[in-house]
Amino acid sequence: TVYRAELNEQKSSFMKEQAQNAMWTSLIDRAVYNGYPEGYIDAYVQDMIASYTSMASMYGYGLEEFVEGMYGYDMDTFNGLVRDQAEMQVKSELLYHYIADKEGITVSEEDYLAMVQQYMEAYNYDDMTSFVNAYGVDEVERQGHADALLQNVMNFCYENSNVVAPAAETEPESAGEETSAAETTAAQ
C-alpha cells in the first residue's frame, strides 16, 4: 500500500540520517585540531547557558533549580557537559569548513531555502516573512547558510565513504511472508 511505502521510505531516510550522524561524529573525534579560535568555545558556552536560563525562566525556575529538577545534574556536572557540547560544536564547525574549502563545497540558493523551510516547519511557521521577522534576517541567513553547508559536507562525506546503513525492516506483505530492505552501502 501507499502508506506502507511511505513508512518504509521514512524509515530508510531515518536510518541513513543515523548513519550520517554516526559517521560525522566519528570524523569529528578522529580529526586533529591545532587549537581553537580565541573565545570561540566560551561564546558557545555563554549562548547555551543563556538558552537554558531562558528555558528555565519560561517554567518559572532559576537555572540551577531547573537543571537539577529537569536533568538531575548538579551545576558543576551541567557546566562540564555544556562545555563538552560547545567544544563538539566548535570542532564540527572547524571540520566542515575545512572540508568545504578543500573540496569546493558550497551552498546554493536552493540548499539555503530548503534549510530555512525545515526551520519553518520545525517552528510552525507558514510563511518566510513571519519567520524572518521573528528571528531576524541576519540570523536566519547566517544559520541557514551554515546548516546548509554542514549538510552538504555531511552528504559529500557520506557519499564518498564506506558507511553501511543498518537495514530498515519492513512489515510482512501478507501473513507468513517477511520482507526486509537490503543493506545500503554508500558509493565509494
Side-chain angles (χ1 to χ4, degrees):
T1 67
V2 173
Y3 178 71
R4 182 171 287 145
E6 287 177 16
L7 282 177
N8 286 335
E9 177 59 34
Q10 288 175 355
K11 190 182 280 186
S12 178
S13 177
F14 175 78
M15 298 303 275
K16 178 183 176 186
E17 185 177 319
Q18 293 297 311
Q20 265 188 322
N21 289 337
M23 174 216 56
W24 187 248
T25 300
S26 176
L27 286 174
I28 290 170
D29 290 343
R30 292 183 0 208
V32 176
Y33 303 89
N34 296 324
Y36 309 109
E38 185 70 31
Y40 214 41
I41 292 175
D42 290 336
Y44 270 103
V45 167
Q46 289 172 1
D47 286 348
M48 292 169 75
I49 295 293
S51 178
Y52 280 105
T53 301
S54 175
M55 193 180 338
S57 70
M58 288 187 331
Y59 289 103
Y61 295 106
L63 180 61
E64 187 170 351
E65 185 180 26
F66 179 75
V67 167
E68 288 175 0
M70 183 67 87
Y71 301 110
Y73 297 127
D74 62 41
M75 286 306 291
D76 287 340
T77 302
F78 174 74
N79 287 330
L81 292 171
V82 166
R83 185 148 196 90
D84 290 347
Q85 182 61 38
E87 186 175 328
M88 182 67 91
Q89 285 293 118
V90 170
K91 286 179 176 181
S92 178
E93 199 169 308
L94 292 172
L95 183 60
Y96 80 76
H97 280 290
Y98 177 82
I99 293 170
D101 288 345
K102 291 294 182 190
E103 298 296 335
I105 300 169
T106 59
V107 173
S108 69
E109 186 68 12
E110 182 179 312
D111 297 333
Y112 163 73
L113 291 174
M115 186 58 64
V116 172
Q117 184 64 41
Q118 286 180 25
Y119 298 155
M120 289 171 48
E121 290 171 8
Y123 295 105
N124 296 316
Y125 280 87
D126 293 330
D127 68 285
M128 178 97 54
T129 302
S130 297
F131 181 74
V132 169
N133 287 340
Y135 292 95
V137 66
D138 291 339
E139 181 62 17
V140 170
E141 286 182 3
R142 183 192 67 74
Q143 195 63 51
H145 280 95
D147 288 346
L149 182 60
L150 171 60
Q151 188 61 55
N152 288 351
V153 167
M154 286 177 66
N155 288 340
F156 171 83
C157 292
Y158 184 79
E159 291 165 3
N160 290 285
S161 69
N162 290 323
V163 175
V164 176
E169 295 181 21
T170 59
E171 294 185 28
E173 296 290 324
S174 62
E177 181 182 338
E178 293 186 25
T179 58
S180 64
E183 288 186 357
T184 55
T185 304
Q188 195 166 5

